[in-house]
């Protein structure tokens, strides 16, 4: 029964249809007003063409809604995010262009995600970079995978509206990992947290942090916007502190939780490959990815 539930959840990851029940929550979660939504989309589209600060590969309603939802339907903020998104893509094309999407399965459990989403938490994602062996593949592949996960996830209206919560688990981080960290890599990792992508990050929880990692963290600090600090919570190694912020029903057993529905990104990508359709392939190829059969 449990395996059957997971398969249904995996298949639903490719759902790009608007859910009427979820739209009822949209006013509270992302300031979306059904009566003014079309006007907001039109205003954003007009701003794109009038200001000409970027050249989006898409300007259809569904695509622009991602940016409006990520910025509470404040059109100038949504436009600023969209410009950041395309500027980032232009600066770091190697993170997208000609990247073999299914080849990213090798990242395995460096990222995890929950297959159950709740309005208060959204999608719970876990970064476990300490599980990565730098000898197996370069740090760029970690960033490529994070960006691909984001592009696939934000296709879902559910995740556009609900947003997500992130746990950054620093257990296992060593000097070998730190040696791969440059200011550019630090910036790109911060960008995974919604700085340049149309994602709604509710909060970021740093677990298993110690003073030994102070130098490691300093590189990230300068790239984190001031307004984002209120969403970042340090727990040290205190699981009770984490559980006070995130319902244990949403946490995997390693953090004292009871949720069984966390899956490593390698498995998740296998299921995306299994259930994808032609529309998915077209959209990902338009972003520059190689999508093999």
């Amino acid at each position: 029964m449990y395996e059957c539930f997971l398969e249904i959840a995996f298949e639903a990851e490719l759902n790009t249809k608007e859910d009427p029940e979820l739209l009822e929550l949209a006013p509270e979660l992302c300031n979306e007003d059904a009566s003014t939504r079309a006007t907001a989309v039109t205003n954003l589209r007009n701003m794109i063409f009038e200001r000409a600060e970027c050249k989006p590969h898409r300007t259809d309603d569904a695509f622009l809604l991602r940016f409006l939802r990520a910025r509470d339907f404040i059109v100038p903020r949504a436009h600023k995010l969209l410009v950041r998104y395309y500027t980032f893509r232009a600066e770091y094309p190697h993170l997208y262009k000609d990247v073999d999407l299914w080849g990213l399965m090798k990242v395995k459990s460096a990222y995890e995600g929950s297959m159950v989403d709740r309005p208060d938490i959204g999608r719970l994602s876990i970064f476990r970079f300490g599980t990565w062996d730098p000898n197996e593949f370069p740090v760029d592949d970690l960033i490529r995978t994070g960006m691909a996960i984001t592009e696939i996830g934000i296709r879902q209206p559910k995740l556009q509206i609900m947003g997500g919560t992130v746990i950054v688990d620093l257990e296992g981080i060593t000097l070998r990992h730190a040696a791969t960290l440059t200011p550019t890599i630090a910036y790109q990792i911060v960008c995974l947290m919604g700085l340049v992508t149309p994602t709604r990050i509710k909060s970021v929880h740093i677990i298993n942090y110690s003073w030994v990692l102070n130098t490691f963290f300093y590189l990230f600090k300068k790239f984190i916007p001031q307004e984002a600090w209120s969403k970042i919570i340090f727990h040290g190694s205190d699981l009770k502190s984490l559980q006070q912020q995130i319902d244990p029903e949403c946490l995997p057993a390693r953090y004292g939780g009871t949720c069984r529905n966390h899956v490593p990104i390698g498995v998740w990508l296998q299921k995306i490959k299994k259930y994808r359709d032609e529309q998915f392939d077209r959209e990902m190829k338009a972003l520059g990815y190689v999508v093999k059969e």
Side-chain angles (χ1 to χ4, degrees), residues 16-20 22-24 26-27 29-34 37 40-41 44 61-75 77-78 81 154-163 197-201:
T16 58
K17 296 180 180 178
E18 300 279 357
D19 182 346
L22 191 59
L23 288 176
E24 292 180 6
L29 295 177
C30 64
N31 198 37
E32 182 170 344
D33 185 336
R37 183 170 74 167
V41 170
L44 176 56
D61 288 9
F63 185 71
L64 296 184
L65 269 173
R66 302 176 184 181
F67 294 87
L68 287 164
R69 285 169 169 163
R71 291 298 182 262
D72 292 324
F73 273 77
I74 300 172
V75 174
R77 292 185 64 212
L81 176 62
I154 59 176
R155 297 178 73 250
Q156 297 184 61
K158 175 181 68 171
L159 296 186
Q160 295 169 21
I161 293 171
M162 283 192 180
T197 56
T199 49
R200 297 179 53 78
I201 302 298

Side-chain angles (χ1 to χ4, degrees), residues 253-276:
R254 82 170 70 89
Y255 305 127
T258 58
C259 182
R260 300 170 57 199
N261 304 316
H262 285 261
V263 296
I265 195 59
V267 172
W268 186 77
L269 281 173
Q270 288 176 8
K271 298 299 183 178
I272 294 296
K273 181 179 181 181
K274 176 180 178 180
Y275 290 114
R276 77 191 201 279

Side-chain angles (χ1 to χ4, degrees), residues 87-132:
T87 300
F88 184 90
R89 286 179 54 82
E91 289 178 347
Y92 306 108
H94 66 284
L95 298 178
Y96 303 86
K97 188 173 177 56
D98 298 327
V99 171
D100 178 2
L101 193 59
W102 312 132
L104 299 176
M105 293 178 192
K106 64 187 174 186
V107 171
K108 299 177 183 176
S109 59
Y111 296 95
E112 283 184 6
S114 170
M115 299 305 296
V116 177
D117 307 308
R118 297 187 351 182
D120 58 332
I121 301 295
R123 169 66 55 89
L124 180 60
S125 301
I126 304 174
F127 295 8
R128 301 180 64 210
F129 293 165
T131 67
W132 161 56

Side-chain angles (χ1 to χ4, degrees), residues 63 67 81-89 151 196 198 287:
F63 185 71
F67 294 87
L81 176 62
L82 185 138
V83 172
R84 280 182 178 173
Y85 172 81
Y86 281 100
T87 300
F88 184 90
R89 286 179 54 82
E151 293 289 359
V196 303
L287 288 169

Side-chain angles (χ1 to χ4, degrees), residues 203-265:
S203 58
V204 177
H205 300 265
I206 314 294
I207 193 75
N208 293 317
Y209 179 85
S210 70
W211 66 269
V212 177
L213 298 170
N214 281 349
T215 302
F216 179 84
F217 183 70
Y218 176 78
L219 277 174
F220 292 90
K221 189 175 181 179
K222 63 181 180 179
F223 297 119
I224 299 174
Q226 189 62 40
E227 63 271 17
W229 282 101
S230 62
K231 297 182 179 181
I232 302 174
I233 304 169
F234 290 85
H235 300 280
S237 299
D238 187 353
L239 294 182
K240 289 184 179 180
S241 173
L242 180 66
Q243 293 160 13
Q244 288 173 356
Q245 297 290 329
I246 301 176
D247 190 332
E249 290 185 359
C250 301
L251 294 170
R254 82 170 70 89
Y255 305 127
T258 58
C259 182
R260 300 170 57 199
N261 304 316
H262 285 261
V263 296
I265 195 59

Side-chain angles (χ1 to χ4, degrees), residues 28 43 125 182 185 190 222:
E28 176 185 353
N43 289 343
S125 301
T182 65
I185 294 297
V190 170
K222 63 181 180 179

